[in-house]
Amino acid sequence: MEIEARNLDKKDFLGKSDPFLEFFRQGDGKWHLVYRSEVIKNNLNPTWKRFSVSVQHFCGGDPSTPIQVRCSDYDSDGSHDLIGTFHTSLAQLQAVPAEFECIHPEKQQKKKSYKNSGTICVKICQVETEYSFLDYVMGGCQINFTVGVDFTGSNGDPSSPDSLHYLSPTGVNEYLTALWSVGTVVQDYDSDKLFPAFGFGAQVPPDWQVSHEFALNFNPSNPYCAGIQGIVDAYRQALPQVRLYGPTNFAPIINHVARFAAQAAHQGTASQYFVLLLLTDGAVTDVEATREAVVRASNLPMSVIIVGVGGADFEAMEQLDADGGPLHTRSGQAAARDIVQFVPYRQFQNAPREALAQTVLAEVPTQLVSYFRAQGWAPLKPLPPSAKGPAQAPRA
């Protein structure tokens, strides 16, 4: 909704009014506040910022529910003065352009010549469907899952028991446990269960050049592994054949997946989303290039999950997971949205496997929905109304 006002009453002795709006919904015989606008200082003809609020919260899902709108003059001590009020409903607000007289009840009673205390004009009022993660997945969106494994020297010599790549007598290590925990959850959303899997930071046969995106199965034209088990098998076979080296560069593998995501975005439909799972011991070298890659990828249908293996300092990883505000490149370009989720594996080592998977994948549904919503793309196949019940449940 976008709202403006004209000719509001002047309430302040020295200046004009500092108006703000409040919307109340009627329910249980009471008025419940559902939205409060920002204050616009010293202005009798304000235009407030466009805002969104869920229909359920605004009017309980019923367009005829009575709504009270109050326009008040802000005072810093909290004793806001009423400018005027009116009653309406979502159905009336939608009849744009809609105009409502702002009435101050006391003034109306005192003065016979009183007309109003200003006019409120609804410029835009649109009800848009908000799709959930499940709506997109059930509608046919493919989630493409790619894995990148860190083969840099800082992991330690794989033949030594204190290396993160050391395979215990039972054939496991932290990398494989993390891969299993997360992969088994994600693979359910991937219909063909074929996952491209890459290593980075190792010298690779036959010429022993350092590679930052080599296929774990050593087949660059077909790096796909069948299921999580296929990735595990390829990893176990690759480990003795490569030499752990460095540096730890994330950008090449992020850019690799971004190229596929860019092709999918060109289709202009909510048909594909890409998730890159990076398993690393955390000592990233190309911090700037990685930031650039993440900021570029934030405009594409993709998310990056980084699982930190081992006990290193993961501060650089925490910065990429921009929970404190948008990630910026050195030149000042900001990420369109937060697409990185970082999880230190050691915190979950003794927790049930579901706990790690849940934390790792906590942000992907929101990231997927936020991307498709920003593009204005609905699910490919809208669900029939009968199937909508559980799909809308917040559990999703």
Side-chain angles (χ1 to χ4, degrees), residues 209-232:
Q209 291 288 311
V210 176
S211 171
H212 297 294
E213 45 170 323
F214 64 90
L216 274 191
N217 62 6
F218 296 112
N219 183 350
S221 60
N222 184 11
Y224 295 91
C225 299
I228 301 304
Q229 186 60 53
I231 303 176
V232 171

Tab-separated table of all heavy atoms in Angstrom, residues 209-232:
chain	number	residue	atom	x	y	z
A	209	GLN	N	49.334	-29.704	-11.754
A	209	GLN	CA	49.014	-28.274	-11.637
A	209	GLN	C	47.998	-28.112	-10.502
A	209	GLN	O	47.153	-28.983	-10.281
A	209	GLN	CB	48.365	-27.769	-12.940
A	209	GLN	CG	49.311	-27.732	-14.130
A	209	GLN	CD	50.319	-26.604	-14.004
A	209	GLN	OE1	49.964	-25.469	-13.730
A	209	GLN	NE2	51.594	-26.931	-14.178
A	210	VAL	N	48.082	-26.946	-9.805
A	210	VAL	CA	47.084	-26.689	-8.756
A	210	VAL	C	45.743	-26.388	-9.421
A	210	VAL	O	45.678	-25.589	-10.355
A	210	VAL	CB	47.495	-25.488	-7.880
A	210	VAL	CG1	46.391	-25.176	-6.863
A	210	VAL	CG2	48.786	-25.773	-7.159
A	211	SER	N	44.678	-27.035	-8.959
A	211	SER	CA	43.347	-26.793	-9.520
A	211	SER	C	42.392	-26.336	-8.432
A	211	SER	O	42.419	-26.835	-7.311
A	211	SER	CB	42.790	-28.065	-10.159
A	211	SER	OG	41.437	-27.851	-10.506
A	212	HIS	N	41.556	-25.336	-8.796
A	212	HIS	CA	40.565	-24.830	-7.833
A	212	HIS	C	39.156	-25.269	-8.185
A	212	HIS	O	38.192	-24.805	-7.594
A	212	HIS	CB	40.663	-23.310	-7.734
A	212	HIS	CG	42.000	-22.873	-7.220
A	212	HIS	ND1	42.419	-23.152	-5.938
A	212	HIS	CD2	43.028	-22.230	-7.825
A	212	HIS	CE1	43.644	-22.678	-5.777
A	212	HIS	NE2	44.029	-22.123	-6.902
A	213	GLU	N	39.029	-26.165	-9.170
A	213	GLU	CA	37.722	-26.769	-9.471
A	213	GLU	C	37.925	-28.032	-10.305
A	213	GLU	O	37.617	-28.057	-11.465
A	213	GLU	CB	36.770	-25.775	-10.163
A	213	GLU	CG	37.384	-24.961	-11.287
A	213	GLU	CD	36.350	-24.168	-12.086
A	213	GLU	OE1	35.230	-24.651	-12.314
A	213	GLU	OE2	36.684	-23.058	-12.513
A	214	PHE	N	38.484	-29.074	-9.687
A	214	PHE	CA	38.653	-30.333	-10.429
A	214	PHE	C	37.528	-31.299	-10.053
A	214	PHE	O	37.056	-31.315	-8.911
A	214	PHE	CB	40.026	-30.962	-10.160
A	214	PHE	CG	40.280	-31.389	-8.747
A	214	PHE	CD1	39.960	-32.674	-8.302
A	214	PHE	CD2	40.858	-30.508	-7.840
A	214	PHE	CE1	40.198	-33.064	-6.990
A	214	PHE	CE2	41.085	-30.887	-6.513
A	214	PHE	CZ	40.757	-32.166	-6.099
A	215	ALA	N	37.058	-32.059	-11.055
A	215	ALA	CA	35.976	-33.015	-10.802
A	215	ALA	C	36.494	-34.119	-9.885
A	215	ALA	O	37.570	-34.677	-10.121
A	215	ALA	CB	35.505	-33.609	-12.123
A	216	LEU	N	35.744	-34.411	-8.827
A	216	LEU	CA	36.177	-35.448	-7.879
A	216	LEU	C	36.335	-36.800	-8.559
A	216	LEU	O	37.153	-37.619	-8.141
A	216	LEU	CB	35.155	-35.594	-6.737
A	216	LEU	CG	35.292	-34.666	-5.525
A	216	LEU	CD1	34.388	-35.129	-4.394
A	216	LEU	CD2	36.725	-34.591	-5.020
A	217	ASN	N	35.547	-37.024	-9.642
A	217	ASN	CA	35.666	-38.310	-10.348
A	217	ASN	C	36.662	-38.216	-11.511
A	217	ASN	O	36.750	-39.128	-12.329
A	217	ASN	CB	34.289	-38.782	-10.846
A	217	ASN	CG	33.678	-37.800	-11.846
A	217	ASN	OD1	34.324	-36.829	-12.250
A	217	ASN	ND2	32.441	-38.057	-12.251
A	218	PHE	N	37.383	-37.071	-11.583
A	218	PHE	CA	38.396	-36.825	-12.632
A	218	PHE	C	37.804	-36.886	-14.041
A	218	PHE	O	38.504	-37.166	-15.000
A	218	PHE	CB	39.593	-37.788	-12.514
A	218	PHE	CG	40.354	-37.606	-11.230
A	218	PHE	CD1	40.345	-38.587	-10.245
A	218	PHE	CD2	41.051	-36.437	-10.978
A	218	PHE	CE1	41.025	-38.409	-9.045
A	218	PHE	CE2	41.734	-36.246	-9.779
A	218	PHE	CZ	41.721	-37.228	-8.817
A	219	ASN	N	36.504	-36.613	-14.167
A	219	ASN	CA	35.869	-36.594	-15.482
A	219	ASN	C	35.229	-35.217	-15.674
A	219	ASN	O	34.044	-35.027	-15.397
A	219	ASN	CB	34.808	-37.710	-15.553
A	219	ASN	CG	34.171	-37.770	-16.934
A	219	ASN	OD1	34.380	-36.894	-17.768
A	219	ASN	ND2	33.376	-38.804	-17.173
A	220	PRO	N	36.030	-34.223	-16.148
A	220	PRO	CA	35.520	-32.845	-16.207
A	220	PRO	C	34.286	-32.688	-17.094
A	220	PRO	O	33.457	-31.816	-16.858
A	220	PRO	CB	36.696	-32.033	-16.767
A	220	PRO	CG	37.682	-33.026	-17.273
A	220	PRO	CD	37.425	-34.328	-16.590
A	221	SER	N	34.129	-33.534	-18.103
A	221	SER	CA	32.965	-33.376	-18.975
A	221	SER	C	31.704	-33.977	-18.346
A	221	SER	O	30.597	-33.706	-18.780
A	221	SER	CB	33.221	-34.030	-20.338
A	221	SER	OG	33.467	-35.405	-20.152
A	222	ASN	N	31.895	-34.814	-17.309
A	222	ASN	CA	30.732	-35.378	-16.621
A	222	ASN	C	31.051	-35.541	-15.133
A	222	ASN	O	31.304	-36.646	-14.643
A	222	ASN	CB	30.358	-36.732	-17.250
A	222	ASN	CG	29.100	-37.308	-16.636
A	222	ASN	OD1	28.391	-36.630	-15.903
A	222	ASN	ND2	28.837	-38.578	-16.896
A	223	PRO	N	31.042	-34.392	-14.376
A	223	PRO	CA	31.472	-34.453	-12.970
A	223	PRO	C	30.387	-34.953	-12.028
A	223	PRO	O	30.516	-34.835	-10.815
A	223	PRO	CB	31.796	-32.985	-12.664
A	223	PRO	CG	30.880	-32.211	-13.557
A	223	PRO	CD	30.667	-33.037	-14.801
A	224	TYR	N	29.310	-35.527	-12.597
A	224	TYR	CA	28.162	-35.910	-11.766
A	224	TYR	C	28.415	-37.213	-11.010
A	224	TYR	O	28.946	-38.166	-11.564
A	224	TYR	CB	26.905	-36.052	-12.628
A	224	TYR	CG	26.487	-34.744	-13.232
A	224	TYR	CD1	26.962	-34.355	-14.491
A	224	TYR	CD2	25.640	-33.875	-12.547
A	224	TYR	CE1	26.599	-33.132	-15.035
A	224	TYR	CE2	25.268	-32.652	-13.090
A	224	TYR	CZ	25.747	-32.290	-14.331
A	224	TYR	OH	25.391	-31.074	-14.864
A	225	CYS	N	27.993	-37.210	-9.738
A	225	CYS	CA	28.074	-38.420	-8.918
A	225	CYS	C	26.644	-38.857	-8.591
A	225	CYS	O	25.773	-38.005	-8.365
A	225	CYS	CB	28.812	-38.142	-7.608
A	225	CYS	SG	30.514	-37.580	-7.856
A	226	ALA	N	26.413	-40.166	-8.556
A	226	ALA	CA	25.061	-40.673	-8.306
A	226	ALA	C	24.781	-40.703	-6.807
A	226	ALA	O	25.301	-41.551	-6.083
A	226	ALA	CB	24.918	-42.070	-8.893
A	227	GLY	N	23.988	-39.731	-6.359
A	227	GLY	CA	23.607	-39.677	-4.947
A	227	GLY	C	24.762	-39.262	-4.050
A	227	GLY	O	25.901	-39.104	-4.496
A	228	ILE	N	24.463	-39.106	-2.774
A	228	ILE	CA	25.504	-38.720	-1.811
A	228	ILE	C	26.551	-39.833	-1.724
A	228	ILE	O	27.745	-39.583	-1.618
A	228	ILE	CB	24.871	-38.432	-0.428
A	228	ILE	CG1	23.838	-37.305	-0.552
A	228	ILE	CG2	25.934	-38.049	0.588
A	228	ILE	CD1	24.375	-36.018	-1.134
A	229	GLN	N	26.093	-41.083	-1.817
A	229	GLN	CA	27.036	-42.211	-1.775
A	229	GLN	C	28.043	-42.091	-2.918
A	229	GLN	O	29.235	-42.376	-2.749
A	229	GLN	CB	26.277	-43.547	-1.867
A	229	GLN	CG	27.165	-44.777	-1.690
A	229	GLN	CD	27.876	-44.815	-0.332
A	229	GLN	OE1	27.221	-44.700	0.703
A	229	GLN	NE2	29.193	-44.960	-0.329
A	230	GLY	N	27.584	-41.650	-4.086
A	230	GLY	CA	28.473	-41.465	-5.236
A	230	GLY	C	29.549	-40.428	-4.960
A	230	GLY	O	30.716	-40.598	-5.351
A	231	ILE	N	29.177	-39.347	-4.243
A	231	ILE	CA	30.164	-38.310	-3.894
A	231	ILE	C	31.176	-38.886	-2.904
A	231	ILE	O	32.385	-38.684	-3.031
A	231	ILE	CB	29.482	-37.064	-3.278
A	231	ILE	CG1	28.437	-36.488	-4.231
A	231	ILE	CG2	30.520	-36.003	-2.934
A	231	ILE	CD1	27.659	-35.305	-3.657
A	232	VAL	N	30.659	-39.631	-1.923
A	232	VAL	CA	31.541	-40.241	-0.908
A	232	VAL	C	32.549	-41.184	-1.582
A	232	VAL	O	33.763	-41.132	-1.311
A	232	VAL	CB	30.700	-41.011	0.144
A	232	VAL	CG1	31.594	-41.825	1.065
A	232	VAL	CG2	29.857	-40.028	0.954
